[in-house]
Amino acid sequence: MSLRIVVCVKYVPDATGDRHFADDLTVDRDDVDGLLSELDEYAVEQALQIAEEADEAEVTVLTVGPEDAKDALRKALSMGADKAVHVEDDDLHGTDVMGTSLVLAKAIEKVGYDVVIAGMASTDGTMGVLPAILAERLGVPQVTLLSEVKIEDGVVTGRRDGDTASEQLQASLPAVVSVTDQSGEARYPSFKGIMAAKKKPVESLDLSDLEIEAEEVGLEGAWTAVDSAAERPARTAGTIVKDEGEGGKQLAAFLAEQKFI
């Protein structure tokens, strides 16, 4: 039987762009370019490596987001994933991690899975809790923050590296896994992969397909909210120290005054 691998990916604003909040204090995604979250590329890579080691496997990438989120799916497909699922619905605007986990869980159950793989966090929200919440919603074990992961004989094993020790973890499938940016460099899509991705299936779902009511997600159903936000202060010109023989002392005095030393 084919190993069914589902990878959760996210379309996020480019971290190098000029990011800011919209009037409703949600992230303004219209005025900044988006891309596949870099941390999710590691999840895609590990899914592909597991599939390559399996006798038979299928890798499905799943995202929740606006129309442009298909770009993230296409990137994952060009890396080598087999198919994609895109959940898009206007009522999802403003959904927090609790609502997102609900949507993902429903979509994963609809698609079918043996293992779900995610990145350690998104590069926009950076909460890092979605894999654990998702595992709870699915009612399966979680093995998170792995820097090494393998699947064999219906068991997922992996290594979690901490500040003072490394742990060896395992769980029976089905399970939810998250991987860190230490799990292995993600491959670059080849030209052949990019061309092949254009022909791979992308299934579209909305809330009605998942039997989710609008009030369960979006700003109305969010468990968290941004109360206020302010623009970052403009960068000042700084202090210039002219070295006329006493530059080192002046620099040390400045650093001491700022309590850097």
Side-chain angles (χ1 to χ4, degrees):
M1 184 177 177
S2 178
L3 178 66
R4 299 168 300 173
I5 306 170
V6 177
V7 188
C8 296
V9 300
K10 189 175 184 183
Y11 180 74
V12 300
D14 188 343
T16 63
D18 183 18
R19 297 176 294 171
H20 55 275
F21 288 106
D23 293 339
D24 61 359
L25 295 180
T26 60
V27 177
D28 187 342
R29 299 178 182 275
D30 294 332
D31 294 335
V32 63
D33 291 334
L35 41 73
L36 170 62
S37 175
E38 181 183 0
L39 293 175
D40 291 340
E41 291 187 17
Y42 296 99
V44 175
E45 176 62 34
Q46 291 307 305
L48 296 175
Q49 289 189 25
I50 290 170
E52 290 164 358
E53 292 293 325
D55 293 333
E56 186 178 358
E58 183 177 63
V59 177
T60 301
V61 286
L62 165 65
T63 196
V64 178
E67 173 66 23
D68 289 345
K70 283 187 172 67
D71 291 344
L73 295 177
R74 291 298 179 193
K75 173 70 177 292
L77 291 172
S78 67
M79 291 172 66
D82 299 299
K83 61 181 184 178
V85 177
H86 180 203
V87 182
E88 179 187 7
D89 198 298
D90 290 342
D91 287 326
L92 285 168
H93 175 72
T95 301
D96 65 357
V97 68
M98 297 302 295
T100 300
S101 66
L102 172 63
V103 175
L104 287 173
K106 293 285 189 180
I108 289 167
E109 289 174 337
K110 187 177 184 67
V111 170
Y113 71 104
D114 295 301
V115 61
V116 179
I117 304 179
M120 61 189 290
S122 64
T123 54
D124 53 354
T126 64
M127 293 186 69
V129 297
L130 186 139
I133 300 173
L134 183 57
E136 179 68 19
R137 288 196 183 277
L138 293 172
V140 300
Q142 56 168 303
V143 277
T144 54
L145 300 176
L146 300 183
S147 54
E148 183 181 276
V149 57
K150 293 182 179 180
I151 294 178
E152 189 174 5
D153 298 329
V155 175
V156 55
T157 60
R159 188 185 78 243
R160 178 191 293 158
D161 296 322
D163 292 336
T164 59
S166 293
E167 301 172 297
Q168 293 292 332
L169 306 173
Q170 70 174 39
S172 298
L173 299 183
V176 173
V177 172
S178 72
V179 297
T180 71
D181 54 358
Q182 301 301 308
S183 58
E185 193 71 24
R187 68 193 67 185
Y188 287 101
S190 64
F191 177 76
K192 181 180 179 181
I194 293 172
M195 297 306 294
K198 296 179 180 180
K199 299 180 181 179
K200 292 179 179 178
V202 178
E203 181 182 4
S204 296
L205 300 173
D206 59 21
L207 293 180
S208 63
D209 293 321
L210 303 177
E211 299 181 350
I212 297 175
E213 299 296 330
E215 56 268 21
E216 296 180 83
V217 295
L219 287 172
E220 183 180 351
W223 291 34
T224 59
V226 177
D227 289 330
S228 62
E231 292 285 345
R232 179 183 297 175
R235 181 176 294 181
T236 60
T239 301
I240 298 175
V241 175
K242 294 183 178 180
D243 188 5
E244 298 177 350
E246 298 291 326
K249 292 182 180 180
Q250 294 179 53
L251 179 59
F254 173 78
L255 294 174
E257 182 182 350
Q258 301 298 317
K259 298 183 179 179
F260 291 138
I261 60 174

